[in-house]
C-alpha cells in the first residue's frame, strides 16, 4: 500500500529560515552578543519547556491566553513552551541563590506566543535578552538603554527613538486623576493602545471601563505633556507633587537620565514618553521601548524593571531589570532598507575547490585541507563533472572564489584561482595558494 502524500507545510505563524536568511540573522545575533559581553553580561540557557505553574500568573490575563500548552501522552506534568526569557530567569535565580549579585546574564533563544501573525510578528521568534538581578540602582536601567543605543547604531540604524517611562509614574498619574486602584490594570492596558487607537479610542475604552468623564479628561491632559525629557519631568513634578508614588517614578527617571548623559547616549535617541506603558503586568519601575518611524512595524526592543517577580518563586526576592531585542523585526527593517554590509553574503563559504576528474579528487581534497587549516571556509564539489557546472554552482551560492586543479597545474606544481565576481584568474605556485586566497579575501 502506497504511503499517503502529505503536503509539506509549517504551522501558522512559524517558518523555516533558509541559509541565506540565517547568515544575516547570525550577523545580527553576533553584534548583539558582542555588545552584551562588552557590558559584562554572561551567557545563560534555559529549557524551551517550563512547568505551566512557573509561567501562569506573571504576564496578565490577555498575555496568558497566548501561552502554548505542551505535553505528551501519559505525561504527569503540566508544561508549556516558554513565553519569554524573563520569567525563566527568575526561576533560575530562585533555584540558584548562590549566584553572585548583581547577576548579569544574557540569553538568545526562541520563545513561543499564539499571537495573530503579521509583518514582523511570528508565533515562534527569537528574543535577545540582557538582565541584571540584585541591584536597585538606576545605573542598571541606564545600562539597558545604553545597550539598545549601542546595538542599533552598530547595526546601522540612524533613526530610532527609545521611549522611557516608569510604572510608578503611571500609577501616580492614575491615582492623581482619580482612577480607583482596582481599575489601574485596565488603565495600563488602555493607555498602552494609544499609538494604535489614538486619544479618542483611549477615551472611549476608559469610558467603557466605567471611569468618570472628568477623570478621563484630567488623565488625558497629563498623557499629552510633551517636550524633552527634562521639560516633561519638570511639568509632571509640578502637577503631581502631592503623589508620593509619582515622585518616586520621576526621581528614578531623573537619575536614569543623568546616567545616560555620562554614558554618552545622545539625547536625540531617547525621551520620556508618559503614554508608553508596556503590556506586561510584572513591571514595577522604569520601562523602555524602541520604535522606528519606517516601516510601521511596532517596537523593536522592550524592557524594564521587575523588582517583585523573583519573589513569586522564593522567599528571598531580588530587584531585577532587563531589556529584550526583537530580532525578527530588526531583521525585517534591515532587509527593507538594505542595511546589511556587503560582507554579509549569501553563503558562509569563501572558496569552492573544484574536482577536475576522479583521478584528481584526492589532490583537490588536499588543497581544501590546506585552506581549512588556515581558517578559510572551504567547500569541495562532491563529484567530478564539467567545470562549467561547478562554477555555476559556486555563482548560484554566492561563493566568491574557486580553486581549479587540472593535470597541467598538478604537473607544474601550481593551481588556478578564480575570482568569480571579476572573472580574474591567476596561476600561482601551490605553496602560495593560501597566501593569494587570503589576500583576495582581505582586499
Amino acid at each position: 500500500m502506497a504511503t499517503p502524500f502529505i503536503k509539506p507545510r509549517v504551522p501558522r505563524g512559524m517558518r523555516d529560515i533558509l541559509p541565506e536568511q540565517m547568515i544575516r540573522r547570525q550577523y545580527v545575533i553576533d553584534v548583539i552578543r558582542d555588545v552584551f559581553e562588552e557590558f559584562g553580561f554572561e551567557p545563560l540557557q534555559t529549557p524551551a519547556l517550563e512547568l505551566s505553574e512557573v509561567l501562569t500568573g506573571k504576564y496578565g490575563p490577555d498575555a496568558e491566553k497566548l501561552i502554548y500548552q505542551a505535553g505528551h501522552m501519559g505525561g504527569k506534568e503540566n508544561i508549556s513552551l516558554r513565553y519569554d526569557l524573563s520569567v525563566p530567569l527568575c526561576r533560575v535565580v530562585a533555584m540558584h541563590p548562590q549566584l553572585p549579585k548583581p547577576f548579569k546574564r544574557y540569553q538568545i533563544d526562541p520563545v513561543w506566543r499564539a499571537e495573530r501573525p503579521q509583518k514582523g510578528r511570528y508565533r515562534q521568534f527569537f528574543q535577545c535578552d540582557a538582565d541584571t538581578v540584585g541591584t536597585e540602582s538606576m545605573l542598571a536601567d541606564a545600562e539597558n538603554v545604553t545597550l539598545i543605543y549601542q546595538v542599533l547604531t552598530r547595526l546601522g540604524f540612524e533613526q530610532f527613538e527609545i521611549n522611557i517611562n516608569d510604572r510608578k509614574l503611571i500609577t501616580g498619574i492614575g491615582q492623581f486623576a482619580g482612577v480607583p486602584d482596582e481599575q489601574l490594570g485596565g488603565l495600563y492596558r488602555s493607555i498602552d493602545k494609544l499609538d494604535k487607537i489614538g486619544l479618542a479610542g483611549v477615551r472611549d475604552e476608559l469610558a467603557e471601563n466605567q471611569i468618570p468623564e472628568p477623570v478621563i479628561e484630567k488623565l488625558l491632559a497629563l498623557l499629552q505633556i510633551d517636550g524633552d525629557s527634562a521639560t516633561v519631568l519638570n511639568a509632571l513634578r509640578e502637577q503631581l507633587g502631592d503623589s508620593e508614588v509619582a515622585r518616586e517614578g520621576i526621581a528614578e527617571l531623573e537619575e536614569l537620565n543623568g546616567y545616560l548623559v555620562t554614558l554618552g547616549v545622545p539625547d536625540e535617541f531617547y525621551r520620556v514618553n508618559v503614554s508608553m506603558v508596556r503590556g506586561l503586568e510584572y513591571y514595577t519601575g522604569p520601562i523602555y521601548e524602541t520604535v522606528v518611524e519606517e516601516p510601521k512595524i511596532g517596537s523593536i526592543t522592550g524592557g524594564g524593571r521587575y523588582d517583585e517577580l523573583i519573589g513569586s518563586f522564593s522567599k528571598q526576592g531580588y530587584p531585577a531589570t532587563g531589556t529584550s531585542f526583537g530580532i525578527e523585526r530588526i531583521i525585517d527593517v534591515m532587509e527593507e532598507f538594505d542595511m546589511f554590509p556587503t560582507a554579509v553574503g549569501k553563503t558562509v563559504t569563501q572558496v569552492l575547490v573544484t574536482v577536475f576528474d576522479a583521478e584528481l579528487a584526492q589532490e583537490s581534497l588536499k588543497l581544501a585541507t590546506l585552506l581549512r587549516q588556515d581558517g578559510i571556509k572551504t567547500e569541495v564539489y562532491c563529484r567530478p563533472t564539467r567545470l562549467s557546472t561547478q562554477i555555476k554552482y559556486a555563482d548560484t551560492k554566492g561563493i566568491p572564489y574557486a580553486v581549479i586543479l587540472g593535470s597541467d597545474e598538478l604537473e607544474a606544481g601550481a593551481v588556478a584561482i578564480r575570482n568569480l565576481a571579476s572573472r580574474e584568474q591567476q596561476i600561482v605556485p601551490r605553496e602560495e595558494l593560501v597566501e593569494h586566497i587570503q589576500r583576495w579575501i582581505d582586499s
Side-chain angles (χ1 to χ4, degrees), residues 69-376:
Q69 304 302 312
H72 60 89
M73 293 182 64
K76 296 182 180 180
E77 294 180 321
N78 292 323
I79 56 178
S80 303
L81 287 168
R82 62 182 170 222
Y83 180 88
D84 72 351
L85 300 177
S86 297
V87 170
L89 168 65
C90 293
R91 174 193 53 74
V92 168
V93 172
M95 290 180 66
H96 302 277
Q98 76 280 5
L99 289 168
K101 309 296 186 303
F103 174 54
K104 299 179 71 170
R105 86 86 175 87
Y106 73 85
Q107 184 170 355
I108 301 174
D109 269 320
V111 298
W112 292 264
R113 298 181 185 178
E115 296 186 288
R116 182 172 62 87
Q118 55 184 285
K119 182 177 176 62
R121 176 172 290 176
Y122 307 95
R123 289 181 168 177
Q124 176 182 313
F125 57 97
F126 265 67
Q127 283 191 338
C128 306
D129 283 20
D131 293 76
T132 302
V133 176
T135 178
E136 296 176 343
S137 171
M138 289 297 105
L139 175 56
D141 294 272
E143 277 201 340
N144 292 338
V145 176
T146 309
L147 286 174
I148 297 168
Y149 168 73
Q150 289 288 344
V151 166
L152 293 181
T153 52
R154 292 190 198 188
L155 289 174
F157 284 77
E158 296 178 351
Q159 295 184 326
F160 59 89
E161 185 172 74
I162 306 168
N163 291 307
I164 305 172
N165 201 0
D166 196 297
R167 275 295 179 84
K168 294 175 183 176
L169 178 57
I170 301 167
T171 298
I173 288 174
Q175 292 175 348
F176 174 79
V179 178
D181 287 348
E182 64 271 15
Q183 291 183 309
L184 286 174
L187 170 68
Y188 294 158
R189 289 188 287 274
S190 296
I191 295 174
D192 198 40
K193 300 175 184 176
L194 180 61
D195 286 342
K196 298 178 182 177
I197 63 179
L199 280 172
V202 171
R203 178 183 282 107
D204 292 342
E205 196 162 294
L206 292 174
E208 290 174 7
N209 289 331
Q210 309 302 313
I211 295 177
E213 182 64 26
V215 173
I216 294 175
E217 293 304 322
K218 196 174 183 182
L219 178 65
L220 294 183
L222 289 170
L223 294 178
Q224 294 178 76
I225 294 174
D226 201 8
D228 61 38
S229 296
T231 300
V232 170
L233 292 175
N234 287 334
L236 289 170
R237 186 180 292 280
E238 289 180 6
Q239 297 195 44
L240 302 173
D242 293 335
S243 169
E244 182 178 352
V245 67
R247 288 200 306 271
E248 289 180 10
I250 292 169
E252 288 179 348
L253 292 179
E254 288 175 337
E255 183 180 353
L256 191 159
N257 284 342
Y259 286 130
L260 291 179
V261 173
T262 305
L263 288 166
V265 181
D267 58 10
E268 64 262 31
F269 288 104
Y270 66 91
R271 72 183 181 101
V272 173
N273 180 355
V274 185
S275 65
M276 191 273 292
V277 175
R278 296 208 42 82
L280 298 178
E281 291 191 352
Y282 54 60
Y283 291 122
T284 59
I287 51 177
Y288 8 90
E289 188 172 272
T290 308
V291 295
V292 291
E293 284 299 316
E294 295 293 338
K296 295 294 184 182
I297 201 170
S299 60
I300 59 174
T301 82
R305 178 164 285 276
Y306 49 99
D307 285 345
E308 300 171 2
L309 189 54
I310 296 173
S312 63
F313 297 104
S314 169
K315 293 180 181 179
Q316 175 65 57
Y318 297 100
T321 184
T323 190
S324 179
F325 292 81
I327 191 171
E328 322 296 341
R329 291 182 177 181
I330 288 174
I331 291 171
D332 284 349
V333 173
M334 293 180 68
E335 288 181 338
E336 183 160 334
F337 289 95
D338 195 23
M339 293 169 59
F340 284 94
T342 55
V344 182
K346 296 167 60 177
T347 178
V348 298
T349 304
Q350 297 169 303
V351 177
L352 176 71
V353 176
T354 62
V355 178
F356 197 81
D357 56 38
E359 293 181 358
L360 293 177
Q362 297 288 345
E363 295 298 327
S364 292
L365 291 175
K366 292 177 183 178
L367 293 179
T369 300
L370 280 175
L371 291 164
R372 289 166 180 161
Q373 287 174 341
D374 206 64
I376 297 171

